[in-house]
Amino acid sequence: MNLPPLLQSFVLHFGEMGSRWGINRTVGQIYALLYASSQPLCADDIVEALSISRSNVSMSLRELQAWNLVVMKHIPDDRRDYFTTPDDVWQILRTLAEERKKREVDPTLSVLRELLMQRPGSEEERHAQARLAEMQSLIEQLTKWYDDVKHLETEQLATLLTLGAKVTKLLDAKDRIVSLGRKRTEPKTS
């Protein structure tokens, strides 16, 4: 690689992580390079920086475009396509979440719904359907939560993420308030 040490470490790590996330290592490396670069890069720049083939760069850029993770830019008097990532890291997170939902969660929900509509032929299938119904219910709840959260403004989303365990304390306080309210409205027995 023809990169400064800090950038090279980041690019290599992102490539390794990409393969763990189910994407090609080169796709991860190209994304990391584009993300950390101060200016948009063309395919030739990427080939030179990462010492990989032009065809590999082209295929990887197409995959990143399919994921809506890169933005194509044009530079005046240059016919080449240049690529960069969105500036807003929160937008990148939102895009990743939405794409993963479309590619992984939605098809799983479709299969679960289809399987739950079938008439079970045995006790084993009834048991399996009951378990599948639990899974579908949980995924539906998470999907509803995601649909609610994805519309939050960035500042609200950042606040939500910083709450962490404080949410548990808030829920405990809510439960105490609700139980106090029930005690006050319960008829007194004498």
Side-chain angles (χ1 to χ4, degrees):
M1 288 188 183
N2 300 319
L3 299 171
L6 182 139
L7 187 54
Q8 182 172 330
S9 293
F10 178 66
V11 167
L12 288 172
H13 175 73
F14 228 78
E16 290 173 26
M17 292 309 299
S19 63
R20 293 178 188 167
W21 296 328
I23 62 171
N24 180 298
R25 181 179 53 201
T26 304
V27 172
Q29 290 177 344
I30 290 173
Y31 188 78
L33 177 65
L34 292 172
Y35 178 80
S37 293
S38 61
Q39 57 194 16
L41 302 175
C42 68
D44 294 332
D45 296 332
I46 298 168
V47 166
E48 183 180 327
L50 300 180
S51 301
I52 55 178
S53 73
R54 171 70 187 221
S55 62
N56 201 351
V57 169
S58 295
M59 288 186 332
S60 297
L61 286 171
R62 276 195 296 278
E63 186 170 341
L64 288 168
Q65 286 176 303
W67 278 81
N68 295 313
L69 289 172
V70 294
V71 179
M72 191 183 315
K73 302 272 185 174
H74 290 98
I75 295 179
D77 299 325
D78 193 333
R79 293 175 34 203
R80 297 177 293 182
D81 294 330
Y82 285 78
F83 299 89
T84 189
T85 62
D87 292 331
D88 182 4
V89 71
W90 288 96
Q91 181 56 44
I92 295 168
L93 176 67
R94 285 181 171 100
T95 300
L96 275 171
E98 188 63 31
E99 290 297 322
R100 292 209 82 125
K101 180 184 174 295
K102 280 194 296 193
R103 295 164 189 257
E104 299 167 20
V105 175
D106 293 347
T108 300
L109 279 174
S110 293
V111 168
L112 288 170
R113 286 183 193 116
E114 193 175 298
L115 293 172
L116 290 170
M117 291 176 63
Q118 294 178 16
R119 172 168 279 157
S122 67
E123 186 57 38
E124 188 174 355
E125 284 187 344
R126 271 188 280 289
H127 174 77
Q129 275 189 325
R131 298 286 291 167
L132 296 178
E134 290 175 12
M135 181 182 288
Q136 181 205 13
S137 177
L138 175 61
I139 295 173
E140 292 276 0
Q141 282 183 304
L142 288 170
T143 300
K144 168 108 176 59
W145 178 81
Y146 167 75
D147 287 339
D148 292 342
V149 168
K150 76 179 180 183
H151 297 295
L152 293 177
E153 296 293 326
T154 298
E155 295 77 25
Q156 292 174 310
L157 186 56
T159 300
L160 178 64
L161 290 178
T162 60
L163 288 176
K166 295 173 191 166
V167 171
T168 304
K169 292 177 185 174
L170 179 65
L171 293 173
D172 289 343
K174 178 206 64 106
D175 290 343
R176 284 193 300 275
I177 291 169
V178 168
S179 68
L180 285 174
R182 284 187 189 135
K183 287 179 184 176
R184 288 186 182 153
T185 59
E186 289 176 359
K188 294 182 181 179
T189 56
S190 6

